[in-house]
Amino acid sequence: MSFTHRIAEFSVGLKDQDITEEVREQIKKVYLDYLTAAISGSQTEVGKKVYEYYSELGKGESTVLGQDTGLNYHNAAFVNGTSAHCLDFDDGHTKGSVHIGCVIFPAVLAVAEKNNSSVQQVIRAILVGYEVTIRVASVIHPYSRQRGFHNTSVAGIFGVTAAISHLLEFNFDETVGALGNAASFAGGTFAFLGSGSEVKRLHPGIAARDGIIAAELSKRKLYGPSDIFEKEGGVFDVFAGGQINNELAELPIGRSFEILNIYIKPYPCCRHLHVVIDAIKEIQEQHHISPTEIKKVKIGVNKVTSFHSHKECNSLLDLQMSIPFVAAVALLGEEITVDSFNLERTDYEEIRKVMETIDVVLDEDCERVYPLSRKTNIVIYLQAGQSIEISFDTVKGEPPNPISMEDLQQKFTKNCENIIGESAIKKVTNNVENLHLIDIFST
């Protein structure tokens, strides 16, 4: 059976009894985390601009998080997906280097709200979306990233398409046709890095909206090519240059669930940066180094993470993608929050001086263990002649060191209460706990 057909078979065949209580509890976690990212992201400049644009095209009945008025369900999926990625606060999967919740939830909930789908249908569709997105991303990574593609949009659209196909009860042929359609919508590159552009925020929104369209067109018997992953000019060829993780591609999907292996972010920035933040926090807890004592900092990382070495930052996104920036802030002893990422902060020149002491380098030790681990090896050279070293790979939010539901509720309250109010916070947390997944603000 081809990779394409394995995905379609999984999408069609997932049953309620396949979903364990552990998976259901994880869906509660990732759902609350998605709501945190989308509601807080809706208040950013990009989130507001995208909502304003679609509002001018017409209102609708589908919920737009953080806004008072709804939109057409396609447009609501786009806006919610974009908002959920605006602060880089959304969940992801290390082995696939991909964000999932910001793509899957906006699409599934928009279609479910329109069709009055049952809770069980929604849960199954979300799980299909997570598993397919993660599997596609893991098979093509790191080769797709090395070719400049963003797995969140490239792999995410196939997760959305499979999820919507399941939600709308497609048969096998309709699902294969929908996946074939999705390939013609797939895209998104890393050209934004260090450019000052915020276009990355749109990638999940595009995948959420277009995955719905790819599926709905298939229902109308407009089918894309079959075996879209394997064929010449297909996904593996175009996005990974024919280099894939063959062993993973051949494994059955759904035998175990990768949603249990996702990470949830404690910091609102690129996940590649988190290991550096935690490593420096560990150093500071032990040594209490003043920035004036530092001569040079060498941060060793894997090849993909080394792409985040830029020191010139002209936008929020540039800051959230810069290892030198977060390393400098952590060295100054600041707790990393949404407020940390601000070009207008009064101490930015002090931060820039520390950034100039920091070099991000490719470390073969870190490269060897990636993508199973985002390890970093850091050496801090002091003015007095000594050096401090750390080798670190234990990152908060990964399965060995997970974030609890209590942590997530605090993250949600801290970032969203000023937007939706205390009463709504209580309603949402209660509804998430009870897996009331569609009209989350209802009593």
Side-chain angles (χ1 to χ4, degrees), residues 290-427:
S290 167
T292 58
E293 299 178 73
I294 296 172
K295 181 178 182 180
K296 203 74 179 171
V297 181
K298 184 175 75 172
I299 300 177
V301 294
N302 63 70
K303 183 177 180 180
V304 169
T305 303
S306 72
F307 296 152
H308 297 270
S309 62
H310 60 277
K311 299 179 184 179
E312 188 63 35
C313 297
N314 298 301
S315 69
L316 169 63
L317 183 61
D318 285 350
L319 296 176
Q320 292 173 311
M321 296 284 139
S322 170
I323 290 175
F325 176 78
V326 297
V329 173
L331 283 166
L332 287 164
E334 181 179 319
E335 188 65 34
I336 307 292
T337 68
V338 170
D339 294 335
S340 301
F341 300 90
N342 182 1
L343 288 168
E344 303 302 319
R345 52 187 296 165
T346 57
D347 61 348
Y348 190 65
E349 281 308 309
E350 182 183 0
I351 292 170
R352 279 189 60 85
K353 288 177 183 178
V354 181
M355 288 170 69
E356 291 305 316
T357 69
I358 297 169
D359 288 331
V360 179
V361 300
L362 174 61
D363 186 308
E364 291 301 331
D365 178 44
C366 300
E367 176 67 11
R368 186 166 54 252
V369 297
Y370 183 76
L372 296 178
S373 169
R374 282 190 174 104
K375 185 178 184 179
T376 185
N377 293 319
I378 299 176
V379 184
I380 299 178
Y381 300 94
L382 303 178
Q383 299 283 4
Q386 307 100 316
S387 64
I388 297 170
E389 300 184 27
I390 189 170
S391 182
F392 195 88
D393 63 359
T394 307
V395 189
K396 178 76 171 175
E398 299 281 356
N401 189 18
I403 288 178
S404 68
M405 192 62 173
E406 183 180 357
D407 291 334
L408 282 169
Q409 289 170 348
Q410 291 175 359
K411 178 180 174 181
F412 177 57
T413 301
K414 179 180 177 181
N415 289 281
C416 300
E417 187 171 15
N418 65 326
I419 302 170
I420 63 175
E422 183 181 356
S423 175
I425 289 287
K426 291 178 179 178
K427 286 181 181 179

Side-chain angles (χ1 to χ4, degrees), residues 47-67:
K48 289 177 180 177
K49 283 182 177 178
V50 171
Y51 176 70
E52 288 168 3
Y53 168 75
Y54 276 110
S55 293
E56 292 172 4
L57 301 181
K59 306 297 183 182
E61 299 303 317
S62 291
T63 300
V64 180
L65 296 170
Q67 308 294 347

Side-chain angles (χ1 to χ4, degrees), residues 82-270:
T82 298
S83 292
H85 203 49
C86 275
L87 288 171
D88 263 274
F89 225 174
D90 40 337
D91 69 13
H93 187 267
T94 295
K95 193 159 59 175
S97 191
V98 63
H99 297 282
I100 316 102
C102 59
V103 183
I104 301 305
F105 278 107
V108 170
L109 296 179
V111 175
E113 189 175 21
K114 176 179 181 292
N115 290 281
N116 197 28
S117 303
S118 70
V119 168
Q120 285 306 116
Q121 286 177 306
V122 173
I123 290 172
R124 292 197 309 269
I126 288 167
L127 184 56
V128 166
Y130 264 76
E131 296 304 309
V132 171
T133 299
I134 292 170
R135 178 60 66 90
V136 172
S138 299
V139 167
I140 64 176
H141 187 70
Y143 313 108
S144 53
R145 176 64 187 89
Q146 291 167 0
R147 291 169 68 85
F149 291 109
H150 188 195
N151 282 347
T152 297
S153 43
V154 171
I157 192 169
F158 295 102
V160 171
T161 302
I164 301 306
S165 297
H166 181 89
L167 192 66
L168 299 180
E169 300 181 341
F170 284 13
N171 62 32
F172 180 83
D173 289 338
E174 289 169 334
T175 303
V176 170
L179 293 169
N181 288 339
S184 289
F185 291 91
T189 77
F190 268 90
F192 56 79
L193 273 181
S195 70
S197 169
E198 295 277 354
V199 72
K200 173 182 185 277
R201 317 299 192 187
L202 305 182
H203 291 181
I206 294 167
R209 178 199 62 194
D210 291 353
I212 296 172
I213 296 170
E216 290 179 331
L217 290 174
S218 180
K219 191 65 175 177
R220 289 158 175 76
K221 307 303 179 186
L222 177 56
Y223 293 167
S226 61
D227 292 329
I228 193 60
F229 289 93
E230 301 85 356
K231 70 185 292 96
E232 183 179 356
V235 176
F236 295 158
D237 188 10
V238 172
F239 292 106
Q243 292 182 280
I244 62 168
N245 298 306
N246 285 291
E247 184 177 343
L248 186 57
E250 293 169 4
L251 288 176
I253 185 169
R255 204 171 267 181
S256 60
F257 293 113
E258 281 297 312
I259 194 173
L260 298 173
N261 295 320
I262 58 95
Y263 64 75
I264 293 174
K265 288 184 175 183
Y267 312 120
C269 57
C270 177

